[in-house]
Amino acid sequence: MSPTTRQETLEAGTPAAALVPSLERSPDRRTRRRKRTAARNASAHGVPFKVRWRRDWQMVLMMVPGVLVMLLFAYIPILGNVIAFQDYQPYLTIFEAPFVGLQKFVGLFDDPDFLDAFRNTMVLAVTQLVLFFPVPIILALVVDSLSPRRLRNVFQSIVYLPHFLSWVLVITFFQEFLGGAGFINNTLKLMGMGSIPFMTDPATFPLMATLQLVWKDAGWAMIIFLAALSTVDVSLYEAAAADGAGRWRRLWHVTLPALRPVIILLLILRIGDILSVGFEQFILQRDNVGPGAAEVLDTYVYYSGVIGGDWSAGAAAGLAKGVISALLIWGANSLAHKFGEAGLFQKKVG
Amino acid sequence: MTLLKNHKASGLSYSPARPAWKEKPSPLYSGLKALTVFVVTAYIGLPVLVVFSTSFADNHQILQSGGYVLWPTHPNLDAYRTLFSGNLMVRALAVSAFITVVGTAIALFVTILLAYATSRPVLFGRPVVLAVLFTMLFSAGIIPMYLMIKQLGLIDSLWSLILPGALGGFNFVVMRSFFMNIPAELIESARIDGASDWKILWTMVLPLSKAVTAVVGLFYAVGIWNAFFNALLYLNDTSKWPVQVVLRSYVLQGKSMTADQLGVAVQTQPQSLQMAVVVIALVPILLVYPFLQRHFTKGVITGAVKG
């Protein structure tokens, strides 16, 4: 109970017992929300459907375009996944294609290309997790400690910008800068040195892909850490300094603990999302690097299904990926709850 | 104290004067920080600078440097003149502009209506919100989407680039949480005065929500402008390609732009021409970026953290 509400209770002249500070924990957000929902439902149940309809029909009408878009482009296609269990051919409709059970899923594991794609996805995801994840945190710490206000604003604008560029542009920039005939290799050639295949070497491709991701999204990912940093209570720093903590001690004992919940949350979310490495990024480079290193699950779906014509196998791979991802997100969310963090679903339903 | 904290939380770009307890950084730390800023800026900026410079450079300088220049000595607009004198780029730009403008308008229409309706305790509101949130977590996949578009007869139609993205889950959440903060009393009083829900939305809610509408609109516009894969998937007809796909095939895959497509004999260096395509794809983003940037931090934080 916050001081203001207690004051209000006092003025309303409630019995004295209500003024005794309660030993119970103050209701947290979840409890309050549950009560609010319960109250809303109670009043809703009291009103007959007909009355509500007469009151709300215009609003319900407003939902129609959105619901229609959602049904057409999100929910009916989910049903379309049924072709993963069929032997679908483009000249048949979904209702005519014969069912073959799990055959297409089993077939995936006999396909070396699929296994390659799966391995590449994992390699890329782990490389990005290890090399990309710390960058926004470090960047946020640096930006937060920049004091000239103008410098800070300009720098922030620069690092945010690449997030709004398309992957085609990003890869183009890298190609023009580091590619075989690009700026760096060109300069090396002018200086009489050999060229370095930055953009086409399968061995270093995960590193290159991570560098591209850093270029595009490190600044953007920094926002949430900056927000967390801006809510740290300054008096904590003050107290730490008064107790004789130097700059590193303060970083270690005040700043990093403040970032901990955000770091854990994002880490868990990232793990839940591990099968979805950037799709456009890899489809753009698959030709140059070769499918041996740049084929990921999503590009496999595209090349085996749409290009290769085995629609059912592609759908099976996509469905398997989607289901595993959903399970991972669900698992990651329960893990987040276990750590006492806000988690994903709650955060979005709000 | 509270005042200070609120001030700090209100804008991420706020940087305080150095507090008494904080020591002045040693030259080493200042140097390290300066170096970080410099390296990061160069990492992001150098490729962009090279592309811009090469697109403005003259033939002579490009030939001399073997392809790329860091700074044009005699800047000119030849590459752009060549591009715009032909069909290829003009058509691609027209397509991109069309899908961006029409797509954003439709997406805003759909999103505003749904977000406003569900922001009130309204019949069917709750399940619809949950349904939208579910689409943020689970998507059908490429192949079922392709079959759906095909079933609807949208293959080779620009509508295939517009309609599927007309309701973005994230944008919906941002809009809805903004609408939920509009006082219910305001809307109730208008209702009592006899205004219809359409009228309330149009004459009261929307004028109050100009900022959030602008931000969500820009998010949609940037998304459509940048989209590349949908066009690759759904459009076989190359004359309907938007800028991003043209960029991919003529710059990344290195197909040459023929005199036929350009309508003139090519006298500009191909390098310069290609870089001009890149710049054309980039410029609209640079133009809207200042407007976008002013609001997005707040918008993103409201949408992602508070829900």
Side-chain angles (χ1 to χ4, degrees), chain A residues 75 152 157 166 176 211 248, chain B residues 12 29 43 68 131 226 244 289:
Chain A
Y75 284 94
R152 190 182 149 134
S157 303
S166 67
E176 301 308 336
L211 281 177
W248 292 107
Chain B
L12 293 176
Y29 287 134
Y43 180 57
Y68 293 91
N226 280 340
Q244 303 289 341
Y289 184 60

Side-chain angles (χ1 to χ4, degrees), chain B residues 56-285:
Chain B
F56 290 113
D58 60 325
N59 289 345
H60 180 67
Q61 195 189 1
I62 291 177
L63 280 176
Q64 206 174 27
S65 70
Y68 293 91
V69 296
L70 200 54
W71 194 254
T73 44
H74 300 92
N76 63 56
L77 291 173
D78 285 355
Y80 297 92
R81 232 170 264 140
T82 314
L83 271 185
F84 282 109
S85 64
N87 262 332
L88 181 70
M89 207 59 210
V90 176
R91 206 164 45 196
L93 270 176
V95 168
S96 276
F98 173 78
I99 56 172
T100 305
V101 171
V102 177
T104 305
I106 291 178
L108 272 181
F109 178 75
V110 170
T111 308
I112 286 175
L113 286 187
L114 193 69
Y116 174 64
T118 54
S119 70
R120 305 286 139 203
V122 71
L123 202 59
F124 305 130
R126 204 76 190 152
V128 168
V129 173
L130 289 176
V132 179
L133 296 180
F134 182 70
T135 64
M136 289 171 77
L137 294 178
F138 195 86
S139 69
I142 299 162
I143 291 188
M145 262 316 264
Y146 181 88
L147 294 177
M148 186 70 205
I149 299 284
K150 201 171 136 193
Q151 208 66 49
L152 292 171
L154 295 180
I155 296 287
D156 266 341
S157 152
L158 291 183
W159 293 108
S160 68
L161 309 182
I162 292 174
L163 293 177
L167 183 67
F170 177 78
N171 291 331
F172 167 80
V173 170
V174 171
M175 284 234 112
R176 180 168 171 268
S177 63
F178 187 90
F179 288 148
M180 282 169 88
N181 286 335
I182 293 176
E185 291 82 2
L186 201 67
I187 288 156
E188 283 311 313
S189 68
R191 260 196 185 160
I192 289 167
D193 289 344
S196 71
D197 287 317
W198 291 97
K199 190 158 182 161
I200 294 172
L201 175 61
W202 190 247
T203 58
M204 290 177 65
V205 175
L206 275 188
L208 285 174
S209 329
K210 274 182 202 144
V212 74
T213 308
V215 176
V216 169
L218 284 173
F219 272 130
Y220 273 125
V222 169
I224 299 174
W225 179 267
N226 280 340
F228 129 83
F229 182 68
N230 283 348
L232 188 71
L233 198 55
Y234 304 137
L235 302 181
N236 303 316
D237 182 355
T238 55
S239 69
K240 286 181 182 152
W241 274 358
V243 173
Q244 303 289 341
V245 187
V246 169
L247 182 65
R248 174 189 186 243
S249 48
Y250 291 97
V251 181
L252 268 184
Q253 298 188 322
K255 282 184 197 150
S256 59
M257 285 172 254
T258 60
D260 188 34
Q261 284 164 326
L262 290 170
V264 285
V266 181
Q267 284 168 348
T268 324
Q269 282 295 311
Q271 220 56 277
S272 181
L273 217 52
Q274 290 191 347
M275 295 310 95
V277 178
V278 181
V279 172
I280 291 171
L282 175 67
V283 158
I285 304 286

